[in-house]
Amino acid sequence: SVTGKPCVCDKNIGPGKGQPVTQKRKRTCSPHAHTPTCSDSFMDEVLHIVQMLDHCYEDLITFSHKKSSESMYSCMFYCWLFGYVCCHLQVELHVHLDGAIRIETIMDVAKRRGIQLPKATVEEMTELCTMSKPSTLTEFLGKFNEFMPVIAGDREAIKRIAYEFVETKAKEKVVYVEVRYSPHFLANSNVEPIPWEQNEGDVTPDDVVNLVNQGLKEGEKAFKTKARSILCCMRHMPSWSNDVVELCKKYRNDGVVAIDLAGDEALECIAQSGHLAAYEEASRCGIHRTVHAGEVGPSSVVKEAVEVLKAERIGHGYHTLEDEALYKQLLEQNMHFEMCPVSSILTGGCDPDYTKHPLIRFKKDKANFSLNTDDPAVLNSTLHKDYEKAKKYMGFTEEDFMQLNLNAAKSCFLPEKEKKDLLNQLYEDYGMVNDTSF
């Protein structure tokens, strides 16, 4: 249907497997969801989608000019993928606010604040601040040194990046997102040491949370994407963790839904009593808990997160597979894993060959997981790129994408009433209002 009206199609690309769209799965289709023809109108639609997603694929462009059979099949794949990403709502649970800042915003704020940047153009700053090939977590974290001093300690900038974050997620068809950050990393007062070699100012960690909440709320109102936040403790700074849990308690009814622990997994939490005390307090007060574990560290870090910190979700968790008993235990517990495929490759957490990614095993075993971007700006990536890798190299189907988004909704940290509403929104969008197969 080139009009976008509801239709029944027997030539779905990808997950439909040649079967008609039944009443159960009936939905509004767009031209890019079906088998393409070499017509100008079709290519106009394709190129419009590419332009809208701000991501141009060589195969699509090759096909638009040469219409070769090989590039046509690649084009068919991308059109199906774009059809899913453009047409279906998604949920994202693992994305860092400070890893999702627009380069243009960094340059704009630097100009306003009179800060000299090491590069003069957007293209040069993008190259400096982003990863282009698999490397190490250390190199990845080093990228933040290039731009965080520009944003940290500036009230207008902190609120702005939160607002723009929601705008970006709305464009990606994300209906609900939980964004995480360290309040201390964006502050320049009441924090020791003051990060990013800033001079002392007047923006406290409490101020940061308030500013981010304002930006998220205004973004939600403007773009209709619900956004909540998770506050991060940092493994190398256990002295900050008590502040973090207290901020979680203070703002638990004003946008903050959980506590997280991020940073160097080589630092054991048992030895860092500040983290353990913060998580015990969070558990006592009913604050939700997630932990970065098994990203680059061993399975023992995942076990510690679950057994010591009482984590309800695991950030990444790829190396859980090293301990088969632990993995089976977490499968039985329906533990949710916040998976980030593109990030896991570029930060050196996983084998650079996507066809060997741990996510394939998690999928095979019907584990509870979601797909997420982690730090899209630093990775120069988008959510649909994570979906692309999962589809192209790991055999994900449209049904798999729907299931993982339902898993994400069920495992999110919203109150039960809001979680139920979110699930109903997804069921309706997926054409499963009365469907119990998922």
Side-chain angles (χ1 to χ4, degrees):
S1 169
V2 295
T3 62
K5 295 180 180 179
C7 64
V8 175
C9 173
D10 63 359
K11 290 187 178 181
N12 283 341
I13 298 174
K17 299 178 182 178
Q19 298 300 316
V21 177
T22 64
Q23 186 65 31
K24 182 181 75 172
R25 291 288 311 285
K26 187 175 181 179
R27 59 187 173 89
T28 300
C29 298
S30 56
H32 52 273
H34 308 298
T35 303
T37 61
C38 298
S39 67
D40 291 338
S41 60
F42 169 73
M43 283 315 305
D44 287 344
E45 291 289 340
V46 172
L47 294 176
H48 171 70
I49 296 163
V50 175
Q51 191 176 43
M52 182 175 70
L53 289 173
D54 231 9
H55 195 92
C56 185
Y57 288 92
E58 184 177 343
D59 285 325
L60 284 170
I61 301 306
T62 299
F63 178 52
S64 70
H65 292 303
K66 298 182 179 179
K67 297 184 174 62
S68 67
S69 59
E70 181 180 354
S71 59
M72 189 185 86
Y73 287 120
S74 296
C75 185
M76 289 167 63
F77 160 70
Y78 287 124
C79 290
W80 171 79
L81 179 69
F82 290 166
Y84 176 82
V85 174
C86 288
C87 297
H88 288 306
L89 302 179
Q90 294 159 93
V91 175
E92 186 169 12
L93 301 181
H94 190 117
V95 54
H96 294 259
L97 180 61
D98 49 355
I101 304 172
R102 298 172 182 174
I103 297 295
E104 294 83 356
T105 298
I106 294 167
M107 299 190 72
D108 190 40
V109 174
K111 181 178 179 180
R112 173 173 60 79
R113 297 184 67 186
I115 297 175
Q116 182 70 40
L117 293 173
K119 301 295 181 181
T121 68
V122 170
E123 292 75 15
E124 290 173 333
M125 277 298 293
T126 298
E127 184 177 357
L128 179 68
C129 297
T130 60
M131 306 277 287
S132 59
K133 58 184 178 180
S135 185
T136 65
L137 188 60
T138 301
E139 181 180 341
F140 166 75
L141 294 175
K143 296 292 183 180
F144 290 83
N145 294 322
E146 305 293 348
F147 61 85
M148 281 300 289
V150 175
I151 304 298
D154 188 86
R155 294 174 186 273
E156 182 182 329
I158 294 168
K159 182 178 177 180
R160 174 178 173 177
I161 63 172
Y163 178 87
E164 291 180 345
F165 171 82
V166 183
E167 181 182 25
T168 297
K169 290 299 152 184
K171 290 179 179 178
E172 292 181 342
K173 295 289 286 185
V174 174
V175 67
Y176 174 67
V177 61
E178 290 176 1
V179 59
R180 62 190 69 194
Y181 64 97
S182 164
H184 297 75
F185 272 162
L186 287 165
N188 61 10
S189 177
N190 286 6
V191 55
E192 179 61 40
I194 298 175
W196 316 116
E197 300 182 355
Q198 300 176 86
N199 294 324
E200 185 171 6
D202 62 357
V203 179
T204 68
D206 191 307
D207 292 329
V208 169
V209 178
N210 188 35
L211 289 163
V212 170
N213 287 348
Q214 289 179 38
L216 296 179
K217 287 177 185 175
E218 292 180 15
E220 181 175 335
K221 183 177 180 180
F223 307 112
K224 313 306 178 188
T225 287
K226 180 175 287 191
R228 298 294 181 265
S229 60
I230 296 173
L231 305 186
C232 294
C233 303
M234 302 306 300
R235 286 182 183 268
H236 69 291
M237 290 303 303
S239 60
W240 292 353
S241 292
N242 182 65
D243 288 348
V244 174
V245 73
E246 290 302 317
L247 289 170
C248 287
K249 290 160 63 176
K250 178 177 180 178
Y251 290 100
R252 65 187 305 175
N253 295 317
D254 192 24
V256 176
V257 294
I259 191 171
D260 180 32
L261 178 62
D264 187 354
E265 293 181 51
L267 301 174
E268 294 184 6
C269 299
I270 296 175
Q272 307 292 329
S273 60
H275 300 319
L276 180 56
Y279 268 74
E280 288 177 341
E281 177 67 5
S283 180
R284 186 186 72 81
C285 296
I287 302 294
H288 288 296
R289 302 164 303 284
T290 183
V291 175
H292 281 70
E295 179 181 10
V296 295
S299 59
S300 59
V301 182
V302 179
K303 188 171 185 177
E304 180 186 64
V306 175
E307 296 181 356
V308 177
L309 300 181
K310 310 301 180 187
E312 299 169 83
R313 296 194 326 229
I314 296 296
H316 303 283
Y318 318 112
H319 294 276
T320 306
L321 298 180
E322 296 170 359
D323 185 335
E324 195 68 25
L326 174 64
Y327 175 60
K328 290 181 178 179
Q329 172 194 328
L330 297 184
L331 285 179
E332 292 173 359
Q333 294 176 3
N334 200 36
M335 175 63 68
H336 185 86
F337 293 87
E338 306 156 358
M339 296 286 189
C340 310
V342 172
S343 169
S344 69
I345 300 296
L346 293 181
T347 60
C350 296
D351 190 300
D353 184 350
Y354 279 103
T355 64
K356 299 177 181 178
H357 200 280
L359 186 53
I360 297 171
R361 171 76 185 277
F362 282 83
K363 172 179 173 289
K364 176 184 175 183
D365 294 337
K366 300 186 185 305
N368 179 9
F369 62 85
S370 53
L371 290 186
N372 309 275
T373 54
D374 199 14
D375 295 273
V378 179
L379 300 169
N380 200 17
S381 188
T382 60
L383 186 57
H384 84 271
K385 188 170 183 180
D386 284 280
Y387 279 75
E388 173 211 331
K389 300 301 184 185
K391 166 63 182 175
K392 187 173 183 179
Y393 299 107
M394 306 178 201
F396 275 68
T397 66
E398 184 174 5
E399 280 75 15
D400 291 326
F401 289 143
M402 291 178 179
Q403 182 62 68
L404 69 87
N405 277 288
L406 291 172
N407 288 344
K410 292 173 183 177
S411 302
C412 78
F413 291 143
L414 283 173
E416 287 304 313
K417 171 63 169 62
E418 292 182 62
K419 184 183 293 188
K420 182 178 179 180
D421 291 342
L422 174 60
L423 278 165
N424 287 336
Q425 193 173 358
L426 293 179
Y427 285 135
E428 181 176 359
D429 181 70
Y430 297 165
M432 300 175 184
V433 178
N434 298 312
D435 181 22
T436 60
S437 65
F438 281 75

